[in-house]
Every structure is written in C-alpha cells, then in structure tokens.
Amino acid sequence: MDQDQQLVRLIADGDRDAFSALYQRHHRSVFAFALHMSGDRQAAEDVMQETFTGLMQSAKTYDAERAPVLAFLLGIARNQVLRRLRYEHRHLTLVDAAIDSLPGSESTAQITIRNEIVETVRKSVLSLPTHYREVVVLCELQEMSYEEAARILACPVGTVRSRLNRARKMLLEKLRLIRGEDAPEAPPNSERCYA
Amino acid sequence: MRRSEFEYHLQLVTDPEDDSSPNATGGAGDARLPEEQLLSWAFGEIGTHVGQIAPSLETGQRV
C-alpha cells in the first residue's frame, strides 16, 4: 500500500490531517485537469472543491486494486466536469480564458506569433468533442501514460491510443491553417489571463 | 522562453518551403511533420503554464 492509499484509508476513518495531506499532494493536478477541460478558472476551482468533497464521501469505497489514488481523484473530477458540460451545454467557448503572455527575450512580433500559436492550440483543444479532449488533456497536457489515462477514463488502452491519434489529426488540421499566414499585428494589450 | 526552440518552430510555421530550414537540413533530427512538432511544442507550453496556475487560497480553505 503506497502513501496515497494509506491516506485514503485514514480519510475513510475521518482523519482530517490525512485529508489535508492528500489535498496538498494532488489538488494542483485535479485543478489543472479541470482547467484544461473547461477553460474556465472558476469552474475548475468548483470542480476541484467538489472532487475533494466527493473523496470524503467515497473514501470508504476506494478500491486500491482498481486504480491509483490520483486516477481515482481524476475520475471524480472528470465526472464533475462532464456533468457541468452537459448542464451548461457548452462544448468550448470560454475564449476569454487565454494563456498569459510569458516573459521572454523575443521581439514583440515573435511573442505575438508564439501566443497566437499557443492560443490556437488551446482553443482547438477546448473545441474538441469531450472524449477526444480528455485524452489530449491527460496524455499530452498532463503527460500521463496511456495506461494511466485508461484507468481514469475506464476504457481500454487501445481506445485511449486511437482517440489520441484521432484528436491529434483534428488539431493538426487546425494548425495547418496557420501556416503561411502573415504574422498578426500585436494587440494593444497582450496581457491576458485566466479570469 | 527557450528562444532558439521557439525560433525553430516559428521558422517551420512561417517558412515551410524554405530549403534552409532546420527540418530540411535534418538539423533537428526530427522526422515528424512541422505541424506535429509545433503541436507538441504548444502542448508543452500550455501544460507548463497551466501547471503553474494555482487555485485560489479561498477555495483551498473551503475544501
């Protein structure tokens, strides 16, 4: 039994310190998953909160044989995200949730093009159908293995692989639209953030 | 930002027919299509950036 599993066992017995310790270990991964999937910071915070609240209620049912604790948590987070997407009927949008301009030594034009590319990919990921988006988020943005993603999504590894392959092709099609285009002019204010 | 890396990807995007590009000369040692390399680069940028964003302290306290 690893440390996470020991913590979940303690949480099931009502140990608040164990809950706090597990939260500190994994809340960023849960938050990042929800943010990637929703593109909305407030929604991601809500999902993170609901996920850990859900953990308190379901710790007794956790089966270490089936999945590592992080996969269990991301499975809860996934259900919360999907519920929200269904409820709010929004597949993508959230175009205000843009990536910050990162500091660098490039020229303004380079920064603009770089941000344009990253933004295009980010929005393209958000525009993917949910079952494609989640494999991109898990395997590409959160760098999980196919096996880990398969546990979280409760599907065969081959399904993860084929969905990721299809999702990459869809994203490549969108990226090809960028090629050959002139660099866009710098916006008056390129400071953008998740808000 | 890793400037040389970005400039390399930028060149792939903006000068796809340039015979002197790193891809054409094999300098990068990467046989993938330029768009595939660009996509992987963008994934890295997005993943790194979002990974640095923390939820608010208020949410943490509520949890």
Side-chain angles (χ1 to χ4, degrees):
Chain A
M1 180 180 292
D2 65 24
Q3 187 176 356
D4 282 347
Q5 292 163 351
Q6 290 174 358
L7 288 172
V8 171
R9 177 168 288 185
L10 291 170
I11 291 168
D13 292 335
D15 188 322
R16 296 173 66 90
D17 290 338
F19 179 81
S20 180
L22 196 72
Y23 175 82
Q24 289 303 324
R25 286 168 67 86
H26 294 307
H27 78 280
R28 279 181 176 262
S29 294
V30 172
F31 176 72
F33 172 76
L35 187 54
H36 282 309
M37 285 296 292
S38 68
D40 181 274
R41 182 171 187 150
Q42 185 57 55
E45 299 216 3
D46 291 346
V47 165
M48 187 190 74
Q49 182 176 342
E50 290 159 0
T51 298
F52 282 94
T53 302
L55 171 67
M56 284 193 286
Q57 296 165 347
S58 58
K60 287 183 187 298
T61 65
Y62 169 69
D63 181 358
E65 298 290 322
R66 293 185 61 187
V69 171
L70 179 57
F72 179 65
L73 287 171
L74 291 178
I76 298 173
R78 176 188 180 234
N79 289 337
Q80 295 292 342
V81 168
L82 295 181
R83 183 181 61 79
R84 282 173 172 270
L85 292 175
R86 282 195 295 267
Y87 180 74
E88 297 171 12
H89 299 288
R90 64 182 184 193
H91 270 298
L92 58 148
T93 66
L94 306 164
V95 293
D96 293 335
I99 290 287
D100 282 337
S101 297
L102 301 177
S105 57
E106 312 99 52
S107 67
T108 301
Q110 285 179 315
I111 292 171
T112 302
I113 296 172
R114 186 194 63 185
N115 287 346
E116 186 83 9
I117 293 168
V118 172
E119 266 304 285
T120 298
V121 173
R122 193 189 67 80
K123 289 177 182 173
S124 298
V125 171
L126 277 172
S127 74
L128 290 172
T130 308
H131 58 291
Y132 292 123
R133 192 189 324 165
E134 57 194 9
V135 294
V136 170
V137 168
L138 292 171
C139 297
E140 300 288 5
L141 303 184
Q142 297 197 267
E143 299 181 335
M144 292 186 173
S145 67
Y146 293 162
E147 289 76 15
E148 289 171 317
R151 285 197 193 99
I152 294 165
L153 303 175
C155 69
V157 172
T159 301
V160 172
R161 188 178 287 112
S162 61
R163 284 182 184 174
L164 188 59
N165 187 44
R166 175 66 183 143
R168 286 187 68 101
K169 286 180 179 174
M170 294 163 77
L171 293 170
L172 286 171
E173 283 301 313
K174 295 176 183 290
L175 262 184
R176 288 194 177 98
L177 298 177
I178 298 178
R179 293 189 70 180
E181 288 184 2
D182 292 334
E185 292 187 9
N189 179 6
S190 60
E191 291 291 326
R192 294 179 293 188
C193 63
Y194 278 96
Chain B
M1 173 62 192
R2 299 166 296 281
R3 181 173 183 170
S4 59
E5 183 187 354
F6 172 65
E7 287 181 341
Y8 165 69
H9 288 293
L10 186 60
Q11 184 178 357
L12 293 178
V13 176
T14 56
D15 303 320
E17 305 303 329
D18 185 353
D19 289 341
S20 64
S21 70
N23 203 43
T25 60
D30 193 333
R32 293 177 299 168
L33 292 172
E35 292 91 347
E36 291 176 328
Q37 297 175 50
L38 188 68
L39 187 61
S40 295
W41 167 80
F43 282 152
E45 290 290 306
I46 297 168
T48 298
H49 182 67
V50 170
Q52 292 169 347
I53 299 175
S56 70
L57 289 176
E58 288 178 2
T59 300
Q61 289 167 349
R62 281 201 300 274
V63 172

